[in-house]
Amino acid sequence: MTQQTSKESIWPLNFNIAYFWIVGSCKFPHTQIATTLKYITFFVGLLILFSCETQPEDKVATYQTFFEKSERKETATYQETIDFYIRLAKDFPEINIQTIGETDSGLPLHMVTFNPDGDFNLENVRKDKAIILINNGIHPGESDGIDATMLFYRDLAIEKIDVPKNTVLVTIPIYNIGGALNRNSTTRVNQNGPLEYGFRGNALNYDLNRDFIKMDTKNSFTFAQIFHLVKPDVFVDNHVSNGADYQYTLTHLFTQHNKLGGELGEYLNKDFRPSLEKQLLKKGWDITPYVNVFNMSPEFGFQQFMDYPRYSTGFSTLWNTLGLMVETHMLKPYDKRVEGTYELMSTLLTLVEKEHKTIKELRKETTEGISEKLQYHFNWQIDTTRTSTLDFKGYEASMIESEVTGLQRLKYDQTKPFVKKTAFYDYFIPKDTVQVPAAYLIKKAWQEVIERLDANAVTYYPLEKDTVLEVESYKILGFETRRTPYEGHYPHFNTEVGKSTKTIQFSEGDLLVPTNQEGFRYLMETLEPQAPDSFFNWNFFDTVLQQKENFSPYVFEDIAYEILMKDSILRADFLAKKEFDLEFDQNWYAQLQWVHQNSKYLEESYMQYPVYRIPKGGEAEAMIPSE
C-alpha cells in the first residue's frame, strides 16, 4: 500500500534529502550547513506548497470562458462555445466532443461527455455509472446554462471541484443553434442581462420546447437520437423564468411526481428533490418550485407546472428519467444567475453521485414492471384536496394606477421582502384512464407516425402476410380545435372516443407494436387519442376527420325515407331529435345528413381512428413475438 505525501510534509522531506546530499559532499561544519539548508528548504517548500495551491487557479486563467473574460456580463456565441469545448477535449482526456445529427440551421448538434475514466462508450458506462444529460440553449436568450456548463466542465477537468467516480456527464452545449445565431439585445424585454443573447425560435421559428412529440424540426429528431444513445438517469434543462417577482434566484421545475408514478415518483418527491433543496440551502442558495402565476402575487398560492410530453422534462419522463428544469429568475443579475445554475448542477452531481445505485435500481424496476401494467392514466388535473406549504420568500405587491393605461396594474416593492406560508398545489389526479393493450396495430400508410416511432427506438414487427384480426377500434366522437395557430399546428383537445370490437383486414407490412417495451409510456401518450399530446391531437390523423363521399339531396331523399321506414329504432331516434332540437328540426340538409351518417352508406374511414388495439388476454395477443 502506497502512502500519499501530504502538502504539510513536503518541506521536511525536501530538507532531509538536501541535507544528507550536501553534508556528504561539502567540508563546511555540519551545523552551519544545517542552518543554511533549513532556510533554503523552508522557502523552497513554501514555493512548492503555494504552487500546488494555485495550480487550479492558474488553469482557470488558462481556460477562461467568454463569460469570465467579459467580466461576467456577456454570454458566449455559438462558435465561441463550441471552440471552448473543442479545446477542453483536446487538452483533457476526460472530455470528448462529437458532432451528431442535423438541425434546421444547417449545422450539427454537439454532444460533450465528461468521464474521468476516459471511456466514452456509453453502453459500457451505464452498466455501473449513472448518466446526467444537460441540455442548454433550447431558448438561447436564456443563456445561463450555456455559460454555467462551460464553467462546470472546465472546473471538473482541472479538478477545481470534486471529480465524480460513479457519474458521467453529457451535455448538448447549445440545442437551438438557429436561435443562438440570431443574436440581439432587445427581444428578452423582461430580462436583466446578458448584453446580447439568442432568440427563442429556431431557424424555422419553432419553439423547440414544444416539439418533443410532434417533432416538426430536425433538431428534435437529433435530440431523440442523442437521448436514446445516452439513456440518461437524470435530465436537466437550463432555462430563465418569466413571471412574478420574488427573492429567489433559483427555481426548479421537477417533473410532476404523480404523473411519473410508482416508487420512482415517490422517490423523486420525497427524497431526491428535498435532498437537492437542502444541499443547496447549505451552500447559501435558497430555491423554490417554479412560480407558475401570471400577473398576480404568488403568496396567494400557486400550482406545480404540468410538464406534458411536448416539453423536455415531460418527454424525458416517458422513459422513466428523473427530469429537472432549472428556471433562474429573469430580474436577478446575470452573473448571479449563471453562478446559481452552476451551483445547482454541481449540487445535483454530488447528489446523483451518492444516490446513483438507488436511482438506477428504481428506474430498472419501473421498466421491468411495465408488463404488469393494466391501466394507464392521463389528462392530469390538480387535486384540490391536497397541498404542500412553502415558506415563500416574496415581495409585497399592490395594485396601483398605471401611468400608461390609466388602469390598475401590478407593482412589486423590492424594499418590502416577506416570508409567508404559501399553498403549493403539487398533487394531481388523472381525469382519464384506459386499459393497457397488449399491442397497437398501425397501418403502414401512416409514415409520419412510423418515422417518429423509429426516431424513438420503438420496437415493432411488420406483419408478414395479409391478416384478418379481431381488434379494439376507436371512433372519434368529438373534439375541440384551437382557433389560432400554435407551433405550426391547430391542435385538438377535449377529444372523446367510442370503443368497439371489430374485425379488420390488415395488410402485409402493417405494424404490430407491443406495449411491453421501454417505450411504453411514449406509446400510451402518443397513440391514445385522448392523451393531451397524442398524435391525433397534434393533427397527424386529420384526414380521417373529413368525409370524402357524400350525397345529392334530391337523390338521397327517397333512400332516406326507405331507411327510416325499415328501421323503427332509427326512426324513433330521428323523430326525437327533431322534437327536442329546434335548430335541427328547421334544417332539412342536417336531417338528411343525420340519416346518411347513421346508415350503411357512410364511409367506414370517416372519424375512424386508424390505430387499433390488441387487448390483453385476447386471441390476437398470441401474434406478439416473445423476446
Side-chain angles (χ1 to χ4, degrees), residues 255-275:
T255 195
Q256 211 289 316
H257 60 94
N258 299 114
K259 177 167 65 71
L260 180 57
E263 292 186 16
L264 190 61
E266 189 75 6
Y267 169 76
L268 176 68
N269 190 46
K270 299 296 185 182
D271 296 291
F272 192 78
R273 176 187 55 77
S275 295

Side-chain angles (χ1 to χ4, degrees), residues 273-290:
R273 176 187 55 77
S275 295
L276 181 67
E277 293 172 337
K278 290 175 183 176
Q279 291 182 35
L280 277 168
L281 188 58
K282 287 180 181 178
K283 292 183 175 183
W285 286 93
D286 207 351
I287 190 169
T288 195
Y290 175 72

Side-chain angles (χ1 to χ4, degrees), residues 318-468:
L318 300 182
W319 311 94
N320 301 318
T321 295
L322 298 180
L324 164 62
M325 196 174 291
V326 181
E327 294 275 1
T328 56
H329 190 249
M330 60 186 177
L331 296 180
K332 301 300 185 289
Y334 186 59
D335 60 336
K336 291 297 181 185
R337 301 199 323 256
V338 172
E339 184 181 350
T341 304
Y342 177 102
E343 290 297 341
L344 191 148
M345 291 190 295
S346 175
T347 305
L348 179 71
L349 176 59
T350 301
L351 178 59
V352 174
E353 180 76 357
K354 177 184 175 184
E355 296 283 304
H356 73 284
K357 287 185 178 179
T358 299
I359 294 169
K360 292 181 74 67
E361 286 172 3
L362 284 172
R363 293 189 67 235
K364 181 181 177 182
E365 290 170 5
T366 302
T367 301
E368 291 175 347
I370 288 171
S371 61
E372 301 173 4
K373 290 279 187 182
L374 299 178
Q375 294 182 325
Y376 189 80
H377 310 293
F378 50 86
N379 286 326
W380 294 86
Q381 313 290 320
I382 297 172
D383 183 352
T384 57
T385 66
R386 302 181 69 185
T387 62
S388 298
T389 302
L390 305 175
D391 290 321
F392 186 76
K393 298 178 179 179
Y395 297 119
E396 288 192 14
S398 60
M399 300 299 293
I400 64 173
E401 183 178 320
S402 167
E403 295 179 354
V404 177
T405 66
L407 304 175
Q408 294 293 294
R409 56 154 292 192
L410 179 65
K411 177 71 174 178
Y412 292 97
D413 189 344
Q414 295 184 357
T415 66
K416 296 179 180 179
F418 66 75
V419 179
K420 292 183 179 179
K421 298 289 184 184
T422 300
F424 180 50
Y425 294 87
D426 58 338
Y427 290 90
F428 285 68
I429 52 177
K431 177 184 174 186
D432 294 305
T433 299
V434 295
Q435 299 299 310
V436 174
Y440 290 98
L441 281 158
I442 305 175
K443 297 291 185 77
K444 60 188 175 184
W446 299 96
Q447 283 299 310
E448 285 189 327
V449 169
I450 296 169
E451 287 171 5
R452 282 150 182 79
L453 300 185
D454 289 338
N456 284 284
V458 169
T459 299
Y460 57 77
Y461 303 93
L463 297 182
E464 296 179 356
K465 60 182 180 179
D466 294 355
T467 308
V468 176

